[in-house]
């Protein structure tokens, strides 16, 4: 006699995708670290070994993308088949809140480093340099926040507003407006990415500062680069939601995946506002740390 499901919880079948994804991502990181080591001066690895690790890393990264696609496709199928009951949706929302909280902690480390060196700059060995109290460091040509950074801010905030409009539309069952809002949000996100790539090109072309030249450049590229990666991920997240909307896979009552995408996109917006104010405006204005 077949068992009958008499509860609202989702019992997941065994899946290889979580383990395969973790293995592929670990291999990618491990190989990238050894590849970078081979390019260092006085490296312990030969260039031939570095090239081998480079190939392994790219193969592992491609494998990770395939595993993630397969994993998330399975989740989408489960949602379409009605497995995501209201009880399951609550758990998904709580887990995504925890995920965003962990992302907040990641960005907090870069803001901590930026403010630490801006307000109390010192050398790597703990001694105070001759230009102690000067920020940005001597020789750094900072960017004007009122040109391309301001344009990027308007683009990203407008994209967030379009995503909110799309979410309001899906709640009221208007698929057409939902699709339009998502398309606008995705397009503005891609334009933001192109503008940031151009900004990086200008920094490198004019030699304003570099990734390894000083702590300002290191924190700038790590913080804005990590945020740029989140914009790309968020754009893909919204694109998947748009595809599912066009296929009729979401409804006014069943769109928890879209909610997660909207939360993630608003998180990206908020982080950029902090970056714009702290790094582009406050940090580039010349700070005295005495």
């Amino acid at each position: 006699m077949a068992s009958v499901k008499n509860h609202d919880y989702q019992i997941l079948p065994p899946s290889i995708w979580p383990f395969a994804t973790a293995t592929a991502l670990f291999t990618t990181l491990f190989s990238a670290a050894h590849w970078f080591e081979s390019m260092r001066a006085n490296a312990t690895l030969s260039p031939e070994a570095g090239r081998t690790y480079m190939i392994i890393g790219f193969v592992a990264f491609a494998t990770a993308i395939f595993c993630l696609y397969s994993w998330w496709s399975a989740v989408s199928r489960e949602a379409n088949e009605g497995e995501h009951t209201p009880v399951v949706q609550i758990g998904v929302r709580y887990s995504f809140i925890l995920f965003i909280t962990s992302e907040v902690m990641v960005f907090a480390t870069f803001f901590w480093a930026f403010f630490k060196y801006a307000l109390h700059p010192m050398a790597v060995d703990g001694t105070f340099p001759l230009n102690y109290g000067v920020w940005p460091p001597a020789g750094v040509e900072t960017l004007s926040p009122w040109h391309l950074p301001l344009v990027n801010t308007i683009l990203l905030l407008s994209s967030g507003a379009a995503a909110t409009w799309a979410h309001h539309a899906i709640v009221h069952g208007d698929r057409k407006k939902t699709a339009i809002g998502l398309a606008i949000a995705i397009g503005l996100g891609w334009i933001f990415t192109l503008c940031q790539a151009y900004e990086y090109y200008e920094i490198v072309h004019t030699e304003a500062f570099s990734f390894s030249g000083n702590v300002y450049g290191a924190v700038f590229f790590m913080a804005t680069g990590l945020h740029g990666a989140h914009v790309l991920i968020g754009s893909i997240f919204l694109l998947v939601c748009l595809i599912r909307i066009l296929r009729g896979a979401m409804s006014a009552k069943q769109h928890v995946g879209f909610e997660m995408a909207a939360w993630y996109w608003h998180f990206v917006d908020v982080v950029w506002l902090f970056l714009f104010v702290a790094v582009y405006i406050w940090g580039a204005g010349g700070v005295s740390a005495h």
Side-chain angles (χ1 to χ4, degrees), residues 134-148:
V134 177
W135 185 264
V140 172
E141 182 182 349
T142 59
L143 304 173
S144 171
W146 310 118
H147 295 154
L148 196 55

Side-chain angles (χ1 to χ4, degrees), residues 50-64:
R51 284 190 291 269
T52 300
Y53 278 113
M54 177 192 69
I55 295 173
I56 295 174
F58 278 111
V59 172
F61 180 74
T63 303

Side-chain angles (χ1 to χ4, degrees), residues 32 42 90 92 124 130 132 141 144 150 159 194-195 236 249-250 257 275:
N42 301 321
I90 292 175
V92 172
V124 178
L130 295 177
Y132 167 62
E141 182 182 349
S144 171
L150 178 60
S159 178
L194 292 175
C195 289
I236 296 173
M250 291 186 179
L275 285 172

Side-chain angles (χ1 to χ4, degrees), residues 217-240:
V219 176
F220 175 89
F221 281 115
M222 285 299 298
T224 59
L226 182 64
H227 176 267
H230 281 69
V231 172
L232 282 175
I233 295 171
S235 299
I236 296 173
F237 203 171
L238 292 175
L239 179 60
V240 172

